[in-house]
Amino acid sequence: MKKYIAILIILLTSTQLNAQSRGVKIGYIDMEYILQNVTDYSEAKNQLEQKAQKWKQDIEAKKVEIAKLKDELKTEKPLLTKELIDEREEEIAFQEQELLDFQQKRFGPSGDLITQKAVLVKPIQDQVFNAVQDIAEQQKYDFIFDKSSDLTMLFAAKRYDISDRVLRVLNRSEKRQQMSAKQLKEQEKKEALEDMEDENPAIAERRKKLEERKAARDKLLEDRKAAAEAKKAEQQAKRDAAAAEREAKKNGTVNADEKPSSENTTEKDSTATTTKEDKAAERARILAERKKELDDKRKKILEEREAAKKAREEKNNEPKTN
């Protein structure tokens, strides 16, 4: 700890002259946070954890095996000769030593778990270091610390955290490898805007307000459209239901001047009436279902808009970053 304090004092002293003309610009990163949000690292870490879990299972199985040997020896000891007892005890001691060696090999200070973790982290750390160097040069940082290192940070304001910027730089490199020339050009424009917003938070604030206004307009248009469609469907359903009712009454009325010529004619008319009524009822049911779907869609849109608005409000309430 004293070592890091001394280094910090030396660094601050060395920039005293520059600080007279401009403020010292300091930032920090959280390496653990960055690693957790790098896809390649997360996948490799999960694979390593699965290996470690398998090693632990092997260790537990070996312990059970040794315990079984001890129990057997304890039970059979009165029946065994001294030579056989010594032989069994020697075998148990060998198994225990073998177990200790396996534990050290997998989980010791220089074991496979520590070694493979270091191999896993090293490439990401190199990328983070390069990204930090680029950000420091472009945005004129005097110091950038690692919050998760041995340097104890008793307090760190969120606005000085540039971890998300580092992640953005790492993601940019990954995305560029899969882009066409046209997409690269568009990406460069987007990155330039992001860098400008990092340097000038007021620009980012204006962009957020414009996006919020646009989202509000889009929500209003969607609500009006959904309401119009629902009203239209409801009116159509009423018209169809009324038409079906009229048709059913018309087909169900028998003219007094006309007499059925035969039983076959009566049965045919009855069947035709029933078929038309069924069709009208089915159509009314379909329209009702369509209206319900539109209502559900409108409700879902309203919920999504409300959730997005709430998320933006929570984000706006967070302390601003440099």
Side-chain angles (χ1 to χ4, degrees):
M1 180 63 186
K2 292 181 179 179
K3 175 183 176 183
Y4 288 107
I5 293 175
I7 293 173
L8 181 59
I9 292 173
I10 293 172
L11 291 172
L12 291 173
T13 303
S14 65
T15 57
Q16 185 175 4
L17 294 176
N18 290 332
Q20 293 176 356
S21 58
R22 65 175 180 85
V24 177
K25 194 171 183 180
I26 299 176
Y28 69 90
I29 63 169
D30 187 342
M31 181 64 76
E32 292 180 0
Y33 168 77
I34 292 173
L35 291 176
Q36 289 171 1
N37 288 275
V38 175
T39 305
D40 292 341
Y41 175 80
S42 298
E43 292 176 354
K45 183 182 178 183
N46 289 337
Q47 293 176 2
L48 183 58
E49 288 177 351
Q50 291 175 4
K51 284 185 180 180
Q53 189 63 32
K54 177 63 170 58
W55 296 336
K56 290 178 181 179
Q57 291 174 358
D58 293 340
I59 289 172
E60 291 302 317
K62 193 70 174 176
K63 287 181 178 180
V64 171
E65 183 180 345
I66 292 172
K68 185 178 178 181
L69 290 174
K70 288 181 177 180
D71 289 341
E72 290 176 353
L73 176 59
K74 184 178 180 180
T75 303
E76 300 174 4
K77 199 168 186 178
L79 305 175
L80 299 176
T81 63
K82 186 177 183 307
E83 290 78 8
L84 290 175
I85 293 173
D86 292 341
E87 184 178 336
R88 293 278 190 92
E89 290 177 345
E90 184 178 346
E91 175 64 20
I92 292 172
F94 176 80
Q95 295 281 0
E96 289 177 334
Q97 185 60 48
E98 194 176 54
L99 176 60
L100 289 174
D101 292 342
F102 183 80
Q103 288 176 317
Q104 286 296 315
K105 179 182 178 183
R106 298 305 191 189
F107 299 102
S110 301
D112 293 340
L113 184 62
I114 301 298
T115 303
Q116 293 187 28
K117 273 186 178 179
V119 172
L120 178 63
V121 171
K122 183 65 167 59
I124 309 298
Q125 285 180 329
D126 292 341
Q127 293 178 38
V128 171
F129 177 78
N130 293 332
V132 167
Q133 295 294 314
D134 293 340
I135 292 173
E137 291 177 3
Q138 294 171 5
Q139 302 184 15
K140 310 300 181 184
Y141 277 91
D142 296 299
F143 306 106
I144 297 179
F145 302 103
D146 181 6
K147 184 180 179 181
S148 59
S149 69
D150 294 333
L151 178 60
T152 303
M153 300 182 71
L154 300 178
F155 173 78
K158 182 64 179 175
R159 64 179 179 274
Y160 298 120
D161 188 357
I162 64 169
S163 301
D164 288 327
R165 297 188 200 176
V166 174
L167 275 172
R168 194 159 61 230
V169 172
L170 297 180
N171 292 331
R172 285 176 182 176
S173 301
E174 184 177 350
K175 289 180 181 177
R176 288 185 179 216
Q177 297 175 0
Q178 305 172 355
M179 288 184 176
S180 62
K182 183 177 180 181
Q183 290 174 331
L184 280 173
K185 190 173 181 181
E186 292 296 325
Q187 181 66 17
E188 288 173 357
K189 291 181 180 178
K190 182 180 177 182
E191 291 173 3
L193 178 60
E194 290 174 347
D195 293 338
M196 188 183 300
E197 290 178 353
D198 287 339
E199 280 297 304
N200 191 348
I203 296 177
E205 187 65 23
R206 285 198 297 271
R207 181 177 63 81
K208 288 179 182 177
K209 289 181 179 179
L210 289 174
E211 289 178 351
E212 289 174 358
R213 290 174 185 171
K214 184 178 181 299
R217 288 196 301 270
D218 292 342
K219 179 179 179 298
L220 182 61
L221 291 174
E222 287 289 339
D223 293 344
R224 288 178 178 175
K225 185 177 178 181
E229 290 177 352
K231 185 175 181 180
K232 183 178 178 181
E234 184 179 359
Q235 291 173 347
Q236 184 63 39
K238 289 180 178 179
R239 286 195 295 267
D240 291 339
E245 185 178 354
R246 288 195 300 270
E247 187 69 20
K249 289 181 179 179
K250 179 180 177 181
N251 292 326
T253 303
V254 180
N255 194 330
D257 296 335
E258 295 179 0
K259 293 183 179 180
S261 59
S262 65
E263 293 181 359
N264 292 335
T265 304
T266 303
E267 183 178 353
K268 183 177 180 181
D269 291 342
S270 177
T271 303
T273 300
T274 302
T275 303
K276 290 181 180 180
E277 290 176 352
D278 291 342
K279 288 183 178 180
E282 179 66 16
R283 185 175 181 184
R285 183 184 66 80
I286 293 172
L287 289 172
E289 290 180 352
R290 188 177 302 169
K291 179 179 178 298
K292 184 176 182 303
E293 290 177 359
L294 290 172
D295 290 340
D296 292 342
K297 182 178 179 182
R298 181 188 176 193
K299 183 179 178 182
K300 184 178 179 182
I301 290 172
L302 292 174
E303 290 176 351
E304 290 176 351
R305 297 294 183 184
E306 186 64 25
K309 180 180 178 182
K310 185 176 180 181
R312 285 194 299 271
E313 290 176 352
E314 291 177 353
K315 187 174 181 181
N316 290 335
N317 290 332
E318 293 181 355
K320 296 181 181 179
T321 59
N322 286 338

